[in-house]
Amino acid sequence: MTIATDDNGQWLSVDTPVAPYPLPCYQDVHHAAQTVEIVGAGPAGLFAALTLLEHGIKPVIYERGKEVSERKKDIALLNRNEGLNPESNYCFGEGGAGTFSDGKLFSRSKKRGNMQRIMEIFHYFGASDRILYEAHAHIGSDKLPAIIRNMRECILAHGGEIHFGEKWLIPDSPTHRFTDSPVILAIGHSAHDTYRELYAMGVQMEAKGCAMGVRIEHPQRLINDIFYHHQPQTVIDLVGNASYSLVTQVHTPYPNSEAVHTPTRGVYSFCMCPGGHIVPAGSMNEGCVVNGMSASHRNSPFANSGMVVELHPEDMVDGCASVHNGLSGLDFQEHLEHLAYTSIHRLTGSPIPPSVAPAQRMKDFVEGKASQSLPECSYLPGIVPSRLDLWLPEPIKSGLQQGFKDFGRKYPGFLTNEAVILGVESRSSSPVRIVRNPETMQSTSHPWLYPCGEGAGYAGGITSSALDGIRAAEAAIEAMNK
């Protein structure tokens, strides 16, 4: 949308004309001779399946979670503190983690691929015209489930298969090489058990850099004042609630290291949700994870964002049993999530509902003070005061404290006790990479296995995951046709 004023200075809204695009041509594959298995029905898996349909190849998807309508029921129970279904939650189920996590369609990724085509396919399945021309396209968590359901119905109508509630069976033999037909592995960033099973059978993996931290929430009115410079509400009603994208560089030491070297690392906002809500995004009992989302209108009174610190593999040693193998980042991630969980139970000494999150006012966290009370918050399961400044490991704690000071200097009013931080934002990206050949897209240890998407360590959101799923499908098609 283009914003302009008329001759009298009144704000106008001008819709940009939308150019037509070629419609996808999906073939009937009920009796196709070629079949490809896909593990996971997130954006990488779904777009891989749609690509296979365009080439007349039958996709067979295995999704451990539920279809989107049933998944919504389990998420409602989770928000009401009535229990976590480890196979159906904000991480697992049809559409993947992105279905109930805002639906932003832009990426920092520099991967090659036709990002506009991703927008066109989402539009074809029911997304608003706006995603075809907005720079920072956004579907909304209230709209995405119907779009994902349309994709599913298209795949099934053309002869593809989707098996919900079924985990893909990893072959027992450690020497299995997937020689019969391609397997596209699109498991998502939270399938810790599958990572471990693959590692045990010898699939080559490596620890990779990632980012972890907290989720921060301000009153939206405060963010509007800071970033819109106190514009009147009439302007805000026209352009929408303010968002931000913040980044700074800090110096923090490696933990448990006597080295003098203090690396420079980034601290940045991630998945900023204007007019949004914070949600429980864990998939394990005795672990606390939070994420953010916003509906299509972005009209809640809160603004939240992930605030994360760049981590290197050598940072992720605390609580890790596998420091020298490819799963060390995974161990650290689980350790951090367990710290968030135990911080509540240790401090209160009484039973706490499973989805409640530890929280601290922003300025108190920076100054190392206990928060005697907490502000109103969008997180439905509830928050409990906790000294995040005492239990967050280095370099996350000091990185966030330095970063918040930098952001407060640059944007006066941002560093405030009106804001609250919740622990932990630990799944902004995968800490594991399943190593693949960049030309063939196949696993370097297991030919015909095509790891792709965020879970394999090659993407970081809906759009880049969808692009990577398309690339994996195209590579599998090319190999099958040789």
Side-chain angles (χ1 to χ4, degrees):
M1 178 174 288
T2 303
I3 302 301
T5 58
D6 62 16
D7 294 338
N8 296 319
Q10 297 297 308
W11 290 93
L12 301 175
S13 170
V14 182
D15 286 329
T16 304
V18 178
Y21 54 85
L23 297 179
C25 181
Y26 300 126
Q27 299 183 40
D28 188 300
V29 297
H30 283 88
H31 305 291
Q34 294 177 308
T35 299
V36 173
E37 291 185 334
I38 300 173
V39 187
L46 290 174
F47 275 77
L50 293 170
T51 302
L52 294 171
L53 288 181
E54 289 189 271
H55 289 80
I57 298 172
K58 183 173 184 172
V60 179
I61 301 176
Y62 294 91
E63 169 54 54
R64 67 190 295 169
K66 298 180 181 180
E67 58 93 359
V68 71
S69 297
E70 291 300 313
R71 186 181 175 196
K72 289 170 72 173
K73 297 176 184 177
D74 292 320
I75 286 174
L77 294 174
L78 184 61
N79 283 325
R80 295 199 298 266
N81 280 318
E82 295 182 22
L84 166 71
N85 183 335
E87 302 295 340
S88 179
N89 44 62
Y90 278 99
C91 292
F92 296 141
E94 185 178 22
T99 304
F100 299 101
S101 183
D102 202 61
K104 295 180 182 68
L105 298 182
F106 59 96
S107 172
R108 294 184 175 97
S109 172
K110 296 178 180 170
K111 297 186 187 309
R112 292 173 295 175
N114 188 349
M115 292 186 66
Q116 182 63 23
R117 190 57 176 165
I118 301 297
M119 309 299 177
E120 291 168 356
I121 292 174
F122 272 116
H123 179 260
Y124 174 78
F125 285 106
S128 165
D129 292 349
R130 296 167 65 95
I131 73 166
L132 296 175
Y133 55 80
E134 287 186 331
H136 288 173
H138 169 258
I139 294 178
S141 299
D142 53 332
K143 304 293 186 182
L144 263 170
I147 294 167
I148 297 300
R149 185 166 52 248
N150 290 341
M151 289 184 176
R152 178 226 307 163
E153 291 174 353
C154 174
I155 293 169
L156 295 176
H158 287 83
E161 297 180 15
I162 305 180
H163 301 272
F164 291 110
E166 290 189 30
K167 285 188 66 177
W168 173 64
L169 295 178
I170 295 176
D172 292 332
S173 171
T175 60
H176 186 90
R177 289 294 182 267
F178 304 97
T179 55
D180 295 335
S181 62
V183 174
I184 295 176
L185 191 68
I187 57 176
H189 61 35
S190 294
H192 292 191
D193 51 353
T194 306
Y195 283 120
R196 297 188 188 282
E197 291 169 3
L198 290 166
Y199 188 81
M201 71 171 287
V203 174
Q204 186 176 357
M205 300 182 191
E206 62 186 15
K208 62 178 281 289
C210 60
M212 302 184 197
V214 297
R215 178 112 333 217
I216 186 167
E217 183 172 81
H218 290 77
Q220 183 65 59
R221 58 165 175 78
L222 179 58
I223 296 300
N224 289 343
D225 285 345
I226 293 171
F227 292 94
Y228 283 163
H229 306 289
H230 300 276
Q231 290 290 333
Q233 188 62 42
T234 53
V235 173
I236 295 171
D237 290 342
L238 181 63
V239 301
N241 280 318
S243 63
Y244 57 78
S245 179
L246 307 180
V247 63
T248 189
Q249 297 290 318
V250 301
H251 294 273
T252 64
Y254 290 121
N256 302 331
S257 172
E258 297 178 357
V260 177
H261 173 60
T262 56
T264 300
R265 65 181 82 244
V267 178
Y268 58 92
S269 61
F270 175 84
C271 184
M272 195 275 156
C273 302
H277 299 82
I278 302 177
V279 298
S283 57
M284 300 182 296
N285 291 310
E286 299 192 358
C288 186
V289 185
V290 292
N291 199 352
M293 57 157 279
S294 52
S296 56
H297 295 295
R298 289 179 160 176
N299 57 359
S300 96
F302 303 101
N304 72 77
S305 177
M307 283 289 180
V308 293
V309 179
E310 179 187 7
L311 300 178
H312 309 294
E314 52 266 44
D315 293 318
M316 296 180 280
V317 294
D318 283 347
C320 296
S322 51
V323 173
H324 300 295
N325 67 35
L327 300 181
S328 58
L330 203 67
D331 288 343
F332 180 81
Q333 186 181 65
E334 293 179 0
H335 170 65
L336 179 62
E337 294 167 8
H338 187 65
L339 280 176
Y341 174 83
T342 56
S343 74
I344 299 174
H345 294 261
R346 183 176 64 251
L347 291 173
T348 61
S350 60
I352 294 292
S355 299
V356 169
Q360 188 175 9
R361 290 181 184 265
M362 182 188 189
K363 196 171 182 181
D364 287 343
F365 170 77
V366 170
E367 296 176 352
K369 299 178 181 177
S371 295
Q372 301 303 318
S373 64
L374 295 173
E376 187 179 359
C377 179
S378 69
Y379 188 70
L380 290 177
I383 54 178
V384 173
S386 175
R387 289 291 300 273
L388 278 75
D389 62 296
L390 295 182
W391 58 260
L392 278 175
E394 293 285 358
I396 297 175
K397 179 191 74 173
S398 58
L400 288 173
Q401 289 174 330
Q402 293 178 52
F404 288 158
K405 291 177 183 178
D406 286 352
F407 298 148
R409 283 191 290 268
K410 188 171 183 179
Y411 301 101
F414 189 83
L415 177 53
T416 172
N417 264 350
E418 286 193 74
V420 61
I421 63 172
L422 280 64
V424 288
E425 176 89 24
S426 55
R427 302 194 185 181
S428 63
S429 59
S430 174
V432 176
R433 176 177 288 114
I434 303 175
V435 185
R436 72 187 185 193
N437 183 307
E439 300 300 323
T440 67
M441 299 281 287
Q442 295 181 15
S443 162
T444 52
S445 59
H446 289 67
W448 291 96
L449 180 65
Y450 292 81
C452 67
E454 193 164 337
Y458 295 96
I462 292 174
T463 308
S464 58
S465 293
L467 284 170
D468 209 49
I470 291 173
R471 292 181 62 213
E474 290 174 343
I477 293 166
E478 181 179 354
M480 293 169 71
N481 290 336
K482 284 185 178 179

